[in-house]
């Protein structure tokens, strides 16, 4: 019974994945939320070395992917590193390869409408 309790508590401690791999017919492998909503990074933040610049009306149009609990550094099947960054409002946002990730408010599941639009790029995954 001791081993069973240990196994159950280990499963309970395992952090849920912050994002998943999705194969888009046009963009190939991309990073999405669990609801298959595409994730984006913004070149403005890349040039600012990862500092959060999308706040206020920008964050309403480009909702951040917030961290809920621990975020694992790696996820099976996804090449790259996850982490978090503290937003100006104090909340933690998920990062991928040191860049904050966002969804686009006018997209539904399995849609990519804003790749290479005003410096926003869908997160493409390498094999």
């Amino acid at each position: 019974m001791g081993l069973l309790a240990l196994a159950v508590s280990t499963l309970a401690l395992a952090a849920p994945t912050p994002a998943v791999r999705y194969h888009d017919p046009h963009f190939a492998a991309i990073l999405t939320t669990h609801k298959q909503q595409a994730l984006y990074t913004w070149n403005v933040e890349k040039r600012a070395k990862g500092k959060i610049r999308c706040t206020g009306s920008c964050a309403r149009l480009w909702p951040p992917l917030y961290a809920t609990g621990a975020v694992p550094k790696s996820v099976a099947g996804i090449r790259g590193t996850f982490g978090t960054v503290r937003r100006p409002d104090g909340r933690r946002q998920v990062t991928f390869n040191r860049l904050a990730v966002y969804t686009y408010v006018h997209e539904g599941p399995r849609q990519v409408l804003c790749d290479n639009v005003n410096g926003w790029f869908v997160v493409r995954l390498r094999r």
Side-chain angles (χ1 to χ4, degrees):
M1 188 145 96
L3 286 177
L4 180 60
L6 179 61
V8 170
S9 65
T10 301
L11 283 175
L13 293 176
T17 60
V20 296
R21 177 185 202 97
Y22 170 73
H23 185 82
D24 180 82
H26 181 71
F27 294 99
I30 64 171
L31 196 62
T32 69
T33 66
H34 287 276
K35 294 180 181 178
Q36 294 182 332
Q37 193 167 7
L39 290 169
Y40 293 85
T41 58
W42 194 27
N43 270 355
V44 170
E45 293 179 347
K46 185 175 185 178
R47 287 190 301 272
K49 297 185 180 0
K51 187 166 171 59
I52 297 295
R53 299 286 193 223
C54 185
T55 61
S57 60
C58 176
R60 285 188 289 282
L61 194 57
W62 295 92
L65 179 60
Y66 290 111
T68 55
V71 173
K73 286 189 181 228
S74 63
V75 172
I78 298 176
R79 223 165 147 189
T81 305
F82 288 94
T84 62
V85 64
R86 185 81 51 193
R87 293 187 54 79
D89 65 5
R91 293 178 77 180
R92 292 181 318 119
Q93 182 175 353
V94 174
T95 61
F96 183 69
N97 292 336
R98 298 187 181 140
L99 292 174
V101 292
Y102 300 83
T103 58
Y104 179 55
V105 74
H106 296 293
E107 283 181 354
R110 298 175 301 283
Q111 287 185 308
V112 178
L113 303 177
C114 293
D115 184 59
N116 198 12
V117 174
N118 296 325
W120 290 94
F121 291 88
V122 69
V123 179
R124 295 182 192 205
L125 299 172
R126 297 184 304 245
R127 292 181 188 221

